[in-house]
Amino acid sequence: MTEPTALPWQPVYDELGINVPEFDDRPLGAFLEDHAAQRPEAAALQYFDREINYRELDEAVNRFANALVSLGVRKGDVVGIHLPNIPQYVIAVLACSKIGCAGSGVSPLMAPGEIAYQVKDAGISVLLTLDAMSSQLSGISDMPACLRHVITTSATDHLTPGEPAECLLEGPECHRYLSLVEQASAEYAQQPAAWNDTMMVQYTGGTTGRPKGAELSVRNLINNPVQYAAYAPWEPGREVVATAFPMFHAAGLAFAIASMRFGARFLLIPDPRDVEHFCRLMQRFPPTRLGAVPSLYQMLIACPAINDVDFSGLKIAHSGAAPLAGEDRKKIEAVIGTGKMSDLFGMTETGPVHVCNPPMRPKAASVGIPVPGAETRIVDVETGTEEMPVGEAGEIITSGIHVMKGYLNLPEESAKAMREWRGNTWMYTGDVGYMDEEGYIFLCDGAKDMLIVGGYKLFSVEVEDKLQALDCVASSAVIGTPDEKRPGNDIVNLYVELTPEARERDSAEVEAEIVAFCREHMAPYKVPKAIHIIDAIPLTAVGKIDKKSLRASA
């Protein structure tokens, strides 16, 4: 094995003409004000049939900023956003930016106790919530004292305004969104903001312990889109962004921020599982940029309406949250066109992207190379201080403008995740992979998901990716369970969701086919010892395979 060069991906940059871009630390609200002044009639948000242009959006943001200020919100406070992908979510993020307070996305899928934990941990003083989800708040048995105001809104407030359901809670004062904004002034100027002010407190899902609030600065969130835009530059006022990533997740937030920063038309998809609506909206507004997780791409290309979407103007299609198998990539490219797929890799704590597969020079099995302005390395899992040679797996770490400030009120956790090495601060991601001689990174699996079988390391994606070639497999997931006969080793468990055609066949015959395929295409220690055929592979809210759920049921 040869040692990596100082920046092994630099020759790729040179070949593609990629340079580290100039960064701009202005807050998001300042970009909104620019768009409202320079292209006021350009579409900003598309929500069903409702188009909101940049002038209207700036006025709506100003009204909501004034409403928040009237409730006592000041710079440094935290406003919770407990909504699906509707206009009010974008409006709230922008209003927080103008005020200089922080936003915090609160997942609509969380249980009352989980919401209470985040509200208390982040110190949320005002919570904007959907009237249809008020039962989640009323289910909180011990309302955090920091929560002073709850604002309820309806999914139709920017369509056909009506009266939202009344919110009755003990403790915080309840308000109606429309009543507040109708009484507020449409004038509000962006307040001064420093590059290291906290713009969002985004909570990481994690697989163990309580969620942690990642403090993401203005610099992190405003400039990270510039980093991965280097592979497909934006044209302000001429872009249409289509994604169903929920904005309470880092990926959805990133697409929303990028859209507002660059003056795009942002298509709002409240229900990512309604692929018919997603396709119909793209038929009317052909996307120039597309973003989804592999599972949603599979759902989209299986929808007949996708065939009537014009993808001729599509510049780039990002895939994230999970590795995109080679077979799936070919199926997607058959619909959207070749040379457009681009894997994004990162995490909430890295703004979120620090690795991107350049569509003009991708390596299909890789997630790509570090984005401009980011440095990413592979170090040993045990100590995190020894750089691994080319081709050898280790923990992926990254340093640069995209790395968070730290975990809110968790100095020990922050120090564990963000360490000094070679004179810089690095985020230790917990993900495992290796780098080739050109700087392309290949994922193995999270360190926590690595299996030990007969003394060999096994990364689940190795098995899952190969199984995509089987016609009977719709989706699969590999987890390890302790091998009691061989302490320190794992038993390879394969969970399989069959295709509709395979479900009609004899299950024993299908299992035999899977085993035969594995024995033919994998080393003996990688062959699953237990195969579980289930109705559906469980997914998290953002479309990742929910291995935590599978382990709990194993």
Side-chain angles (χ1 to χ4, degrees):
M1 296 291 181
T2 58
E3 292 290 335
T5 61
L7 292 175
W9 53 88
Q10 186 61 50
V12 180
Y13 279 7
D14 294 341
E15 177 188 330
L16 301 178
I18 300 299
N19 298 304
V20 176
E22 292 185 9
F23 296 116
D24 188 338
D25 288 334
R26 290 184 300 152
L28 189 60
F31 289 94
L32 172 64
E33 291 176 352
D34 284 351
H35 299 318
Q38 296 166 9
R39 52 185 71 86
E41 302 306 316
L45 303 177
Q46 189 67 46
Y47 182 54
F48 293 92
D49 291 331
R50 174 79 162 95
E51 177 184 299
I52 300 175
N53 64 35
Y54 275 96
R55 175 185 52 77
E56 294 170 319
L57 179 59
D58 191 40
E59 290 179 359
V61 168
N62 291 343
R63 290 182 185 278
F64 191 56
N66 280 312
L68 290 174
V69 169
S70 73
L71 298 180
V73 174
R74 298 293 183 267
K75 185 180 178 70
D77 290 343
V78 182
V79 173
I81 310 171
H82 182 228
L83 300 172
N85 286 12
I86 61 177
Q88 295 91 307
Y89 204 119
V90 180
I91 289 167
V93 170
L94 286 160
C96 289
S97 173
K98 284 208 174 192
I99 295 169
C101 64
S104 186
V106 181
S107 170
L109 304 178
M110 291 200 298
E114 295 171 315
I115 295 172
Y117 167 78
Q118 182 172 333
V119 168
K120 183 177 180 181
D121 189 68
I124 291 172
S125 59
V126 177
L127 182 69
L128 175 62
T129 187
L130 197 69
D131 57 355
M133 302 188 304
S134 59
S135 61
Q136 292 175 297
L137 301 182
S138 60
I140 296 175
S141 57
D142 186 13
M143 188 68 71
C146 61
L147 185 62
R148 303 192 307 270
H149 301 278
V150 171
I151 303 170
T152 57
T153 189
S154 168
T156 61
D157 278 352
H158 284 278
L159 293 173
T160 52
E163 284 294 311
E166 191 171 6
C167 179
L168 298 174
L169 297 172
E170 290 188 12
E173 187 177 349
C174 296
H175 313 267
R176 288 185 169 135
Y177 170 81
L178 284 181
S179 298
L180 285 176
V181 297
E182 285 170 357
Q183 298 169 17
S185 168
E187 299 293 330
Y188 190 92
Q190 172 69 55
Q191 298 301 296
W195 66 268
N196 62 341
D197 284 350
T198 299
M199 179 176 169
M200 297 292 294
V201 180
Q202 287 293 109
Y203 277 74
T204 61
T207 55
T208 58
R210 290 280 199 175
K212 299 184 287 289
E215 285 194 88
L216 296 163
S217 69
V218 171
R219 175 171 287 179
N220 295 151
L221 293 174
I222 296 302
N223 292 305
N224 190 233
V226 181
Q227 291 180 281
Y228 58 88
Y231 304 115
W234 291 67
E235 297 179 77
R238 303 181 67 179
E239 303 280 355
V240 178
V241 179
T243 181
F245 277 118
M247 282 184 277
F248 62 79
H249 181 262
L253 178 67
F255 275 102
I257 289 173
S259 298
M260 297 300 99
R261 190 196 191 287
F262 291 109
R265 184 195 295 262
F266 185 52
L267 307 186
L268 288 162
I269 312 295
D271 181 4
R273 298 182 188 279
D274 187 355
V275 291
E276 284 280 351
H277 169 62
F278 195 174
C279 289
R280 286 197 301 272
L281 206 56
M282 288 193 292
Q283 287 172 9
R284 293 177 57 199
F285 307 101
T288 60
R289 295 170 187 271
L290 181 61
V293 294
S295 57
L296 181 56
Y297 273 120
Q298 292 170 350
M299 293 168 64
L300 284 170
I301 62 175
C303 179
I306 197 75
N307 296 315
D308 294 321
V309 177
D310 178 7
F311 288 111
S312 62
L314 184 68
K315 298 177 181 177
I316 195 165
H318 289 299
S319 176
L324 184 60
E327 292 300 313
D328 285 337
R329 183 182 293 266
K330 292 176 184 176
K331 294 175 183 176
I332 296 165
E333 288 184 333
V335 175
I336 68 170
T338 58
K340 298 177 180 181
M341 287 303 304
S342 174
D343 301 270
L344 293 179
F345 175 68
M347 60 196 304
T348 300
E349 294 91 329
T350 60
V353 178
H354 65 94
V355 172
C356 180
N357 218 350
M360 68 289 282
R361 197 185 187 280
K363 291 190 179 180
S366 166
V367 290
I369 57 179
V371 296
E375 187 170 357
T376 299
R377 296 292 185 178
I378 312 296
V379 296
D380 69 294
V381 173
E382 290 75 19
T383 70
T385 59
E386 297 295 326
E387 187 167 2
M388 302 302 292
V390 165
E392 290 194 19
E395 184 172 3
I396 301 170
I397 65 173
T398 185
S399 178
I401 198 172
H402 53 291
V403 175
M404 68 171 181
K405 295 170 62 175
Y407 293 118
L408 182 67
N409 300 323
L410 293 172
E412 292 183 4
E413 291 284 347
S414 299
K416 182 179 178 182
M418 300 171 66
R419 307 180 217 166
E420 292 297 316
W421 185 65
R422 292 182 174 176
N424 292 318
T425 299
W426 297 77
M427 180 71 208
Y428 282 68
T429 68
D431 292 301
V432 174
Y434 65 90
M435 185 181 289
D436 72 7
E437 66 282 353
E438 291 189 305
Y440 282 78
I441 293 171
F442 296 77
L443 296 183
C444 296
D445 222 331
K448 56 187 172 293
D449 292 328
M450 185 175 68
L451 284 65
I452 302 294
V453 184
Y456 293 98
K457 294 179 180 179
L458 170 62
F459 302 103
S460 65
V461 72
E462 297 176 70
V463 178
E464 295 160 356
D465 195 8
K466 282 189 171 65
L467 285 172
Q468 288 297 316
L470 270 177
D471 291 337
C472 61
V473 175
S475 184
S476 67
V478 168
I479 65 168
T481 53
D483 188 345
E484 295 181 358
K485 294 181 180 180
R486 306 171 72 185
N489 280 266
D490 298 297
I491 294 173
V492 182
N493 289 261
L494 172 65
Y495 288 80
V496 176
E497 177 183 340
L498 299 178
T499 60
E501 295 79 9
R503 291 174 188 172
E504 302 298 321
R505 297 168 52 192
D506 177 73
S507 60
E509 177 187 322
V510 175
E511 283 192 33
E513 179 184 347
I514 294 171
V515 171
F517 177 87
C518 292
R519 286 176 175 166
E520 180 181 354
H521 296 280
M522 304 173 198
Y525 72 91
K526 298 180 181 179
V527 176
K529 297 296 184 289
I531 296 178
H532 312 271
I533 295 178
I534 58 178
D535 291 336
I537 296 292
L539 302 176
T540 65
V542 296
K544 289 185 180 181
I545 293 175
D546 190 353
K547 292 191 177 181
K548 181 179 179 181
S549 172
L550 290 175
R551 290 190 190 95
S553 63

